[in-house]
Amino acid sequence: EAQVTQNPRYLITVTGKKLTVTCSQNMNHEYMSWYRQDPGLGLRQIYYSMNVEVTDKGDVPEGYKVSRKEKRNFPLILESPSPNQTSLYFCASSSPLRASNSPLHFGNGTRLTVT
Amino acid sequence: AQSVTQLDSQVPVFEEAPVELRCNYSSSVSVYLFWYVQYPNQGLQLLLKYLSGSTLVKGINGFEAEFNKSQTSFHLRKPSVHISDTAEYFCAVSVILYNQGGKLIFGQGTELSVKP
C-alpha cells in the first residue's frame, strides 16, 4: 500500500531535549516536505526536499533541521525544542520532480507537545 | 506574494443540505488549485484539483469546485452533504517556482460540521 509513515503519532517532551520525528514514503517520490498545522493558520511549510541531499527552507524553518540521505526518508529534527513548537506536524511527498501540479500524499501527523 | 484566503473558518450545515466553502487566492502568476480534506486524526487527502481546461472540476465524494479566474476564486460545493463529510477542508494554491519546483500554499482551513 502506498503511504507516508510518520513516527511517533504523539510526543510529549520538555524544553531543550532534542527529538527526531521520522518520515518514510514507499512511492519513490522525489519531493518531500514538512508542515506544521496550527489553529487558524492552516499548514505552513517548514522544510522541503527536491531530491536526495537537496533540502531548502520553507516559510517557518527556525528551530528545525532536516536531512535527506535516502530517497524514502526525511526526518525532522528539533535540536532544542521550545513550547512555541507545540503543534501538529505533517510529512508529505509527491512526484514527479517538479511538484507544482502533483498532489501531495500526507502522513497521519505527529502531535508534539513541548512543556 | 501569493496567498490563499478561506472566507469561513466554520460552516455548520444540516444533513442533505447544500454547502459551499469559499476560497479566494491572490497571485500574479499562473497557479494550480487544490482542495484537500482532513478527517479527524488523519492526514490530508486530495479532494480535487484544477490544472487547466474546464473550470468546473469534479472530485471524490460528490464534491466539485469552480475556478473563476476573474474573481480569483475556487469555491468548493456539494449539493447534498452527509454526516461523514464532517471534516476540515483546505484550499491550496501551487505556484510554479522554476528553481524550486512547486510551492504549495494553504489557506487557513474551514471546519465543516454536518448535523443530523
Side-chain angles (χ1 to χ4, degrees):
Chain A
E1 180 188 352
Q3 58 185 3
V4 177
T5 304
Q6 290 178 234
N7 280 298
R9 288 294 307 275
Y10 301 91
L11 181 57
I12 302 174
T13 189
V14 296
T15 299
K17 186 176 181 181
K18 180 179 179 180
L19 65 91
T20 299
V21 184
T22 64
C23 174
S24 180
Q25 50 93 5
N26 63 0
M27 294 167 280
N28 202 35
H29 285 166
E30 294 92 349
Y31 182 90
M32 297 186 76
S33 182
W34 276 102
Y35 293 86
R36 58 178 290 174
Q37 182 181 4
D38 301 289
L41 297 177
L43 277 79
R44 295 178 293 169
Q45 190 178 48
I46 302 170
Y47 269 93
Y48 65 94
S49 169
M50 297 298 290
N51 214 325
V52 176
E53 300 291 2
V54 181
T55 63
D56 210 340
K57 296 177 181 179
D59 298 315
V60 288
E62 293 78 21
Y64 304 96
K65 285 175 54 178
V66 293
S67 69
R68 188 90 182 273
K69 294 185 171 59
E70 308 163 280
K71 199 171 188 179
R72 62 183 294 127
N73 296 323
F74 191 45
L76 179 69
I77 303 154
L78 283 71
E79 294 270 4
S80 183
S82 61
N84 64 11
Q85 292 178 298
T86 292
S87 186
L88 179 58
Y89 292 86
F90 287 101
C91 179
S93 71
S94 73
S95 187
L97 179 62
R98 289 194 67 220
S100 57
N101 63 358
S102 299
L104 286 171
H105 297 257
F106 283 84
N108 282 334
T110 295
R111 186 167 292 281
L112 171 65
T113 303
V114 184
T115 60
Chain B
Q2 294 79 19
S3 66
V4 179
T5 302
Q6 292 182 240
L7 297 159
D8 306 293
S9 59
Q10 294 179 323
V11 174
V13 64
F14 287 106
E15 193 173 19
E16 296 184 6
V19 71
E20 179 180 78
L21 306 184
R22 298 179 293 168
C23 173
N24 286 93
Y25 70 93
S26 67
S27 176
S28 57
V29 299
S30 296
V31 297
Y32 300 117
L33 298 159
F34 303 82
W35 275 98
Y36 285 84
V37 59
Q38 182 182 26
Y39 298 105
N41 298 315
Q42 294 185 27
L44 282 73
Q45 55 185 278
L46 182 68
L47 201 55
L48 50 79
K49 62 182 177 182
Y50 172 79
L51 304 180
S52 64
S54 173
T55 57
L56 184 62
V57 179
K58 294 190 185 298
I60 61 172
N61 300 338
F63 283 92
E64 63 182 31
E66 185 157 20
F67 170 56
N68 187 318
K69 189 174 182 179
S70 62
Q71 297 185 5
T72 60
S73 67
F74 191 53
H75 301 333
L76 181 70
R77 301 186 183 99
K78 186 169 182 178
S80 176
V81 294
H82 303 291
I83 298 285
S84 59
D85 292 323
T86 294
E88 188 155 20
Y89 292 79
F90 290 93
C91 181
V93 163
S94 180
V95 180
I96 303 170
L97 300 174
Y98 290 100
N99 293 332
Q100 303 171 28
K103 179 179 175 64
L104 201 61
I105 301 167
F106 287 89
Q108 303 90 330
T110 298
E111 282 187 35
L112 175 64
S113 175
V114 181
K115 304 180 187 306

